[in-house]
Amino acid sequence: MNFLSMAGNTILEVNNLTTIFRHENQVTRAVDDISFSLQPGETLGIVGESGSGKSVTALSILRLIPNPPGKITKGTILYDSTNRGEINLLTLPEKELRKIRGMEISMIFQEPMTSLNPVFTSGVQVAETILQHLHVSRKEAKEMVLQLFDEVKLPRPAEIFRSYPHQLSGGQKQRVMIAMAISCSPKILIADEPTTALDVTVQRTILDLLREIQEKHRMSILFITHDLGLLGGFAGRVMVMYKGKAVEQGSSIEIFRHPQHPYTKGLISCRPPLDVRLKKLPTVEDFTSGDNGKIGLIQEESSRLFSLQNIQSAEEREKIHREIYSKPPIMTVSNIKTWFPVSFSLFGKPLDFMKAVDDVSFDVYSGETLGIVGESGCGKTTLGRTILQLVHATSGKITYEGVNLGKMKAEQLRNLRKELQIIFQDPYSSLNPRINAGNAIMEPMIVHGLNGNSRQQKERTIELLEKVGLQPGHFDRYPHEFSGGQRQRICIARALAVGPKLIICDESVSALDVSIQAQVLNLLNDLKRNFGFTYLFISHDLSVVRFMSDRLIVMKSGKIEEIGEADAIYAIPGSVYTRELLSAIPKPFL
């Protein structure tokens, strides 16, 4: 939304920008001849998938492209500087450009944990930015930081000042990054995926915070995201990027209501809708690939992706549920408490506890997808790890097929892990960078002595690669050679390698582009239908959980707020907390 858009001069004008990367003999045009402008007080959204060139565009504006392998080969970036008038940032001497970076044009980077130095406190890092650009003492800088922390609504600013990044939540770290970015009152704020992987409620507060700061400091914002739905009520104009090119630009209302490019239509359509339950999510590929007659499927009212055949009726759903819930549960969780001591007496006796999971009980039925949703810190991930005995419960009982998991010996539990698997949130950190994809999938087979000899295990691995939508040739590639979505497919194949019955998906799609997310969600549902899997699907994304789940558990502060049939909870939430979560879901102009 344009909060302060003025009729004055353009503050930033990018013309025919081209940025390339050279790898051996191959040249990639990461940004390919794009042009756009930014007005004073305006918010311009740049949207696209990973690899579309949106982040490289932002880095090119500040000339932060590493050379080699990157190089800006063409274009002008005209900036209306405070003290210098209109200047071309691409020809400005490095010494002069350093005065503009952080001072007049500032940037919030995508991942706050990697952007903040772990060995310095949060306050010291923000103060250093102020000391670098402003002529103030360290005492004055500290006072300014405390005021900034209060402005970005961080609780207990003095305590946050002394805290290290690892001691803060994701939302708090992002607020520290925002405080750092606005510390010198820049004219332009570049926000690169500032809400990725944050809860919907935290995401909403960050967007509201940026609005307030923009209004107060009269800034222009360049907001970069892979989620087009996020921009609906935030950005006045939108530029859609695809394979390095700007394929569509216009007001956010026009882009959402009348998208012109097939890629834009795909981005809008691949998010799980809340008004109907689709059996299969559309993907970007459905709109941008295939024969000429298949491009732009959304234009066809009879498209299979939006036809009645792809909408699951209440009768179909009820029939499936009657079959699932007519049988005894495969797992029963009874009064589970997982508490972590946070303070101790002089003699080492715990005095106080962080109650991550606090007296939780529910059943899991064979063939269902049980969704677990809540904000960060609600206990959902700890609950999943407790079920797998990766974290030991303080009290309570978890029974799987009649066996108490808490009473099992280590060797028995190791054998049982064939049936209970987990897919973690970050596929890159879940894979050993020194082991190729094929051996990563074969490893659990070898550990459990499954699927015959090494030749048969390799054949099984290739079969699994194909089942998750990869190619046999991917066997010898290493994790860094795959995209995020491909790496997650490898993790899914690895989980399938031991023939599990129950799979815990712990935020397994939260860090993926919406289009890749749709592919992975469709894959998980296809595998469930083909193999009869049972899923515990943990996520903070309510629209995704609703698409996947038969039943839903809403958690808050370690406890269950409500549990029931997923569609019923979305239609008539019984908890105030659930209503707050639902109201925080971004609602574009549709």
Side-chain angles (χ1 to χ4, degrees), residues 337-343 352-358 377-379 382 394 557-558:
K337 296 180 181 179
T338 306
W339 294 3
F340 300 101
V342 293
S343 64
D352 193 17
F353 294 88
M354 191 271 284
K355 300 177 181 181
V357 179
D358 194 15
C378 72
T382 302
T394 306
S557 303

Side-chain angles (χ1 to χ4, degrees), residues 517-581:
Q517 185 181 89
Q519 294 174 15
V520 173
L521 294 176
N522 287 337
L523 172 64
L524 289 171
N525 277 336
D526 289 343
L527 293 170
K528 177 185 172 182
R529 282 189 290 269
N530 294 337
F531 296 97
F533 292 138
T534 302
Y535 290 137
L536 276 181
F537 194 88
I538 298 169
S539 179
H540 64 261
D541 190 325
L542 282 87
S543 58
V544 167
V545 174
R546 189 232 180 185
F547 170 73
M548 293 294 294
S549 302
D550 297 292
R551 288 188 303 143
L552 182 64
I553 292 174
V554 180
M555 289 190 68
K556 179 186 179 185
S557 303
K559 295 181 178 291
I560 293 178
E561 279 284 304
E562 62 180 305
I563 181 170
E565 203 276 334
D567 284 359
I569 287 179
Y570 274 78
I572 311 175
S575 160
V576 172
Y577 177 68
T578 307
R579 289 196 288 273
E580 289 174 355
L581 288 178

Side-chain angles (χ1 to χ4, degrees), residues 203-214:
Q203 176 180 275
R204 182 177 64 178
T205 58
I206 294 295
L207 293 179
D208 289 343
L209 176 62
L210 288 174
R211 285 192 188 100
E212 290 179 26
I213 291 169
Q214 181 183 38

Side-chain angles (χ1 to χ4, degrees), residues 173-234:
K173 284 194 285 279
Q174 197 60 280
R175 288 167 190 264
V176 170
M177 289 296 298
I178 293 171
M180 187 183 297
I182 67 169
S183 59
C184 298
S185 298
K187 293 174 68 176
I188 298 175
L189 178 64
I190 300 173
D192 187 8
E193 299 274 13
T195 61
T196 297
L198 295 179
D199 303 328
V200 288
T201 50
V202 178
Q203 176 180 275
R204 182 177 64 178
T205 58
I206 294 295
L207 293 179
D208 289 343
L209 176 62
L210 288 174
R211 285 192 188 100
E212 290 179 26
I213 291 169
Q214 181 183 38
E215 215 168 303
K216 179 177 179 179
H217 295 275
R218 301 178 66 82
M219 293 185 306
S220 302
I221 295 179
L222 204 61
F223 191 92
I224 296 168
T225 181
H226 66 263
D227 188 351
L228 186 52
L230 198 64
L231 296 175
F234 186 72

Side-chain angles (χ1 to χ4, degrees), residues 59-112:
L59 294 173
S60 297
I61 291 170
L62 291 173
R63 274 174 40 196
L64 292 175
I65 300 295
N67 185 9
K71 186 179 181 182
I72 300 171
T73 61
K74 179 185 173 185
T76 60
I77 300 176
L78 303 177
Y79 165 60
D80 185 10
S81 174
T82 303
N83 301 318
R84 304 168 184 82
E86 188 176 86
I87 55 175
N88 183 0
L89 295 179
L90 295 185
T91 59
L92 195 68
E94 180 66 27
K95 183 179 179 181
E96 295 298 311
L97 184 61
R98 279 199 295 268
K99 296 177 183 177
I100 290 176
R101 292 193 197 118
M103 182 71 176
E104 298 186 37
I105 304 177
S106 191
M107 187 164 179
I108 306 169
F109 292 94
Q110 180 169 353
E111 178 45 64

